[in-house]
Amino acid sequence: MTPIVSFGANMRIAQITPYFLPHNGGMEMYVYNLSKGLIDAGHTVEVITANVPPGRAIEIMDGIIVRRLKCIGEPLRNPLVPSIFLLRDELKKFGLC
């Protein structure tokens, strides 16, 4: 059986998560550790997340490109980030999302 996606070197991978470091929690640490492992395997990783708590819009954290999008509210601890829909075409450039 042939795999649908090739996991060769130099893949560009996007991880989309509601929160990321320095926000503290299990999901944030899981995404961080997974991203570090993928980078160690030779891939480029970009984490796309809400800008909670507010900080830089784009930064590099231990080799991980972190893009923080404006959050307009957090009802029931769920960040509302409507600008994620503006990235639809850009996300197509990633090998995995």
Side-chain angles (χ1 to χ4, degrees):
M1 181 185 236
T2 305
I4 295 172
V5 178
S6 170
F7 291 98
N10 300 321
M11 285 188 68
R12 188 173 176 215
I13 301 168
Q15 295 203 73
I16 302 171
T17 183
Y19 299 103
F20 191 65
L21 301 176
H23 197 275
N24 196 18
M27 178 65 73
E28 296 81 0
M29 289 306 301
Y30 181 84
V31 171
Y32 172 81
N33 289 325
L34 179 58
S35 297
K36 286 295 294 169
L38 290 166
I39 287 170
D40 291 345
H43 305 294
T44 301
V45 178
E46 184 169 330
V47 172
I48 301 169
T49 188
N51 197 1
V52 176
R56 296 183 186 156
I58 296 179
E59 65 179 302
I60 297 177
M61 179 186 294
D62 297 332
I64 304 165
I65 301 165
V66 181
R67 186 186 315 194
R68 300 179 190 279
L69 304 177
K70 183 178 180 180
C71 178
I72 61 170
E74 289 182 271
L76 302 174
R77 290 187 36 93
N78 292 299
L80 298 175
V81 184
S83 60
I84 189 75
F85 297 107
L86 300 175
L87 298 179
R88 283 190 339 196
D89 289 336
E90 187 175 338
L91 290 174
K92 293 176 184 174
K93 298 175 186 172
F94 287 90
L96 288 175
C97 289

